[in-house]
Amino acid sequence: ERKTREPGVPSSLIKNIFRHYVKMPVAREAFRIVEKCSERYFKQLSSDLEAYTRHAGRKTVEMADLEVLMRRQGLVTDKMPLHVLIEHHLPLEYRKLLIPVAVSGNKVIPCK
């Protein structure tokens, strides 16, 4: 009989992100703890976003829900807006998807 697993963040992705910021070798036991903490964090993040969305009377999570959550966590403040966090922590290809940019021909991407 096969065990069913809940979908989650791939272990390889967590490992790559963690190694990028740690910049030194990580023991397997330590990585397992990081992986468990990341899984719990994303589960809590998801349930909080669902609660904010339901409270607003919607069925779709929007950027505003995420910004409210990040404000409550103290990540986004008046001195550190969301777009600054995006610019500091995400590669250019993801920044282009999240922050509107004017391009030639008076077009703004991404379109809303």
Side-chain angles (χ1 to χ4, degrees):
E1 201 175 298
R2 291 177 112 187
K3 290 183 180 179
T4 57
R5 274 187 67 179
E6 287 185 26
V9 179
S11 175
S12 60
L13 178 62
I14 294 172
K15 187 180 262 184
N16 287 339
I17 293 170
F18 191 67
R19 282 188 177 156
H20 172 76
Y21 287 104
V22 173
K23 297 187 186 337
M24 63 177 29
V26 179
R28 280 193 175 128
E29 301 85 33
F31 178 71
R32 282 191 208 115
I33 292 170
V34 168
E35 195 173 19
K36 283 183 182 179
C37 291
S38 297
E39 186 176 316
R40 287 183 183 162
Y41 173 77
F42 282 110
K43 280 184 181 180
Q44 185 64 49
L45 182 83
S46 300
S47 65
D48 288 348
L49 286 171
E50 281 182 42
Y52 292 167
T53 303
R54 282 195 192 112
H55 181 73
R58 290 183 272 106
K59 292 185 178 184
T60 304
V61 176
E62 294 180 358
M63 185 81 152
D65 300 321
L66 185 59
E67 191 165 356
V68 168
L69 177 62
M70 292 179 81
R71 276 193 183 278
R72 291 199 62 171
Q73 291 177 340
L75 297 170
V76 171
T77 63
D78 291 336
K79 292 183 179 182
M80 180 63 74
L82 183 59
H83 72 275
V84 173
L85 279 176
I86 291 169
E87 289 172 356
H88 284 214
H89 297 288
L90 293 179
L92 183 60
E93 58 267 19
Y94 295 120
R95 281 186 259 162
K96 286 180 179 179
L97 294 172
L98 297 171
I99 300 174
V101 177
V103 294
S104 65
N106 262 351
K107 293 183 181 178
V108 175
I109 54 170
C111 298
K112 287 189 178 190

